[in-house]
Amino acid sequence: MALASPGSGICATAVPRPARDRSSCMNCLTLAHSSRAFGSLRTTPIRLWVSSRRLRLRGTVMTAAIPVDVGNGVKEATLYVPQELHTQVTHSMPPEKIELFKSLEDWAEENVLPYLKSVEKCWQPQDYLPEPSSEGFLDEVKELRQRAAELPDDYLVCLVGDMITEEALPTYQTMLNTLDGVRDVTGASLTSWARWTRAWTAEENRHGDLLNKYLYLTGRVDMRVIEKTIQYLIGSGMDPQTENSPYLGFIYTSFQERATFVSHGNTARQAKEFGDFKLAQICGIIAADERRHENAYTKIVEKLFELDPDDTILALEDMMRKKISMPAHLMYDGNDRNIFDKFSLVAQRTGVYTAKDYADILEHLVKRWNVEKLSGLSSRGQQAQDYVCKLANRIRKLEERASRVKKGPKTASFSWIFNREVALQ
Ligand SMILES: [Fe+2]
Ligand SMILES: [Fe+2]
């Protein structure tokens, strides 16, 4: 779900930060009053030139690509610059909190690492794909293509979008390594936090790999443009607004693992309805991994609620006010700057991932962390608790209202499926 961020001013320590504390060093910015909440495609950009001065913005900022002369008078933007970045806030967690995460090393060893599976017990993509060394390989591919021929275009768009999201894995490992107190400081650190991050990445790596190979074999999608989209996406990174804080970071990953569990679960169910049982199995085993990862990340946040309920509830409020942006929100295929919004609309319409799912995930996490029953909070903490506990219903009401007033284009073409048209609403 593409949710525009209002850019909250509350950090993990609950102190609303004044404008001058937040800086941006971009030279050229375009402000966008984004009205994309719950899938609307409208954005109203306002150009603004800024030179080396600090800037605090409520809302989304857009960066512009600066054309470079590549000879013979030809100007080209050689490096793609992502469209939407929020004001960059860094290291909002007070340094003394880093000690808290260091003190949790042994706890993480005993309580988080067991959620990983040993490599020998893990499934591998090849377990679910035609075996290229066998004589029956071509027949197996033929069968796969016959089954995939029945998959509708809107389903393929969702599956491709999910696969591209998984394939941008280097970005997610980077994101985890932005977090103070838990990052992998050497690349082969033996702390339990670092071992978790690397092994989690290694498990996740199988998801994009399997979906990518499957989609390639179907012959139904334009692999070259998909590969370009992956390259653009990894080059753009992501902007989860987690401010190097593991409080914000682990709330974000708890939400995201649940979101991927839901969306892969839905693509599994739909594949079964379309008669592709092998694909249903593929999406199902990926969903099961996501669920296991969700359990690990929610366990970490549960521990934070136990040790530091006030700052944890404030972090949850902060992430929800900023809205959980999807990891692939900077998606671009080299041509269509709205491709992520369009993909989100198709996912919403087909029921692969909807605004209702977003509200349900929040409600699920609030229950999982027993947020309603938290006691001994400061008055600011109680306000955050109240906000978070009522939010899922507010989102559902807003979504209900929004779904009655449908605006924007009814259909769109997608480069990923050779520019065939798909209904958006
Ligand atoms: Fe995944
Ligand atoms: Fe995951």
Side-chain angles (χ1 to χ4, degrees):
M1 196 66 247
L3 295 170
S5 167
S8 158
I10 300 166
C11 72
T13 51
V15 184
R17 293 159 72 92
R20 62 184 171 278
D21 279 2
R22 302 195 174 202
S23 64
S24 169
C25 58
M26 287 172 282
N27 288 325
C28 170
L29 300 170
T30 303
L31 307 193
H33 294 294
S34 177
S35 56
R36 299 185 312 136
F38 302 111
S40 160
L41 289 178
R42 284 166 292 121
T43 54
T44 321
I46 304 164
R47 263 203 174 293
L48 173 73
W49 292 90
V50 187
S51 60
S52 310
R53 65 187 169 96
R54 291 179 164 204
L55 185 69
R56 167 78 173 96
L57 302 170
R58 283 187 63 80
T60 310
V61 294
M62 296 172 76
T63 58
I66 299 167
V68 174
D69 199 332
V70 291
N72 300 328
V74 178
K75 293 209 170 194
E76 225 176 64
T78 50
L79 264 183
Y80 172 68
V81 182
Q83 287 185 57
E84 295 171 25
L85 297 173
H86 302 95
T87 35
Q88 308 285 289
V89 181
T90 55
H91 305 287
S92 61
M93 184 177 74
E96 62 270 19
K97 296 274 179 188
I98 291 174
E99 294 310 312
L100 173 77
F101 289 91
K102 287 193 178 152
S103 73
L104 286 173
E105 271 289 321
D106 290 345
W107 176 86
E109 175 92 33
E110 282 159 31
N111 294 277
V112 182
L113 295 186
Y115 283 102
L116 295 164
K117 268 193 177 176
S118 80
V119 175
E120 297 307 323
K121 285 191 179 152
C122 272
W123 59 263
Q124 296 299 333
Q126 191 49 51
D127 301 338
Y128 296 92
L129 292 165
E131 172 52 53
S133 63
S134 90
E135 279 197 6
F137 174 68
L138 292 178
D139 290 335
E140 282 183 63
V141 172
K142 204 171 159 191
E143 277 170 35
L144 183 154
R145 289 163 81 98
Q146 277 165 357
R147 287 192 307 268
E150 303 302 318
L151 300 172
D153 281 341
D154 49 11
Y155 178 85
L156 283 175
V157 164
C158 294
L159 199 62
V160 169
D162 284 356
M163 179 267 267
I164 291 167
T165 305
E166 293 284 354
E167 287 283 58
L169 183 61
T171 297
Y172 316 139
Q173 188 175 23
T174 300
M175 179 262 173
L176 284 170
N177 282 327
T178 66
L179 302 178
D180 293 336
V182 295
R183 71 171 55 85
D184 182 354
V185 289
T186 64
S189 161
L190 294 175
T191 67
S192 40
W193 297 116
R195 278 154 57 216
W196 163 266
T197 296
R198 289 194 304 272
W200 170 85
T201 305
E203 284 197 4
E204 284 283 340
N205 188 52
R206 301 165 305 140
H207 300 172
D209 189 7
L210 176 52
L211 290 173
N212 192 324
K213 283 174 177 150
Y214 182 87
L215 280 160
Y216 167 80
L217 290 172
T218 66
R220 298 277 319 273
V221 297
D222 186 337
M223 283 309 297
R224 191 170 194 285
V225 78
I226 290 169
E227 286 160 350
K228 269 176 61 182
T229 312
I230 294 167
Q231 188 173 353
Y232 273 118
L233 184 57
I234 295 173
S236 296
M238 70 188 285
D239 185 19
Q241 303 186 84
T242 43
E243 307 177 9
N244 311 99
S245 160
Y247 286 79
L248 301 176
F250 290 138
I251 287 167
Y252 181 86
T253 52
S254 296
F255 196 105
Q256 274 310 332
E257 293 289 0
R258 180 82 188 170
T260 46
F261 162 67
V262 168
S263 66
H264 289 306
N266 285 331
T267 52
R269 184 176 44 77
Q270 293 181 8
K272 208 185 270 179
E273 286 164 17
F274 300 131
D276 193 335
F277 294 97
K278 289 257 172 154
L279 179 57
Q281 204 182 8
I282 286 172
C283 297
I285 50 155
I286 295 174
D289 273 6
E290 310 293 16
R291 185 72 211 268
R292 190 159 43 80
H293 295 161
E294 176 206 330
N295 288 338
Y297 286 120
T298 53
K299 182 111 187 170
I300 298 171
V301 177
E302 179 187 43
K303 187 71 180 170
L304 294 177
F305 268 116
E306 183 194 316
L307 297 175
D308 190 3
D310 233 31
D311 280 344
T312 311
I313 188 65
L314 291 166
L316 179 58
E317 181 203 26
D318 185 26
M319 282 317 294
M320 296 319 300
R321 283 194 190 277
K322 289 190 286 203
K323 298 190 175 76
I324 305 283
S325 58
M326 290 295 108
H329 66 125
L330 299 177
M331 196 181 267
Y332 178 57
D333 64 351
N335 187 46
D336 185 352
R337 288 183 184 273
N338 288 321
I339 197 157
F340 179 76
D341 298 307
K342 286 163 41 178
F343 156 56
S344 299
L345 286 174
V346 179
Q348 165 84 22
R349 188 182 61 74
T350 56
V352 166
Y353 186 69
T354 67
K356 185 184 167 298
D357 291 325
Y358 186 96
D360 290 350
I361 292 168
L362 171 60
E363 192 170 77
H364 166 84
L365 293 175
V366 164
K367 266 196 201 129
R368 167 72 184 81
W369 294 322
N370 233 341
V371 175
E372 276 183 25
K373 304 248 165 67
L374 288 175
S375 56
L377 295 172
S378 66
S379 67
R380 185 64 194 83
Q382 286 171 25
Q383 277 173 19
Q385 180 185 33
D386 190 53
Y387 170 79
V388 166
C389 290
K390 289 178 180 159
L391 186 59
N393 279 337
R394 273 183 54 201
I395 293 170
R396 287 191 193 105
K397 275 186 199 148
L398 281 171
E399 167 55 14
E400 228 178 87
R401 234 178 284 156
S403 65
R404 270 184 254 130
V405 195
K406 293 201 166 159
K407 289 180 185 168
K410 300 268 182 288
T411 62
S413 65
F414 279 85
S415 58
W416 303 334
I417 51 167
F418 303 100
N419 294 313
R420 294 193 295 270
E421 290 265 324
V422 166
L424 297 180
Q425 46 182 303

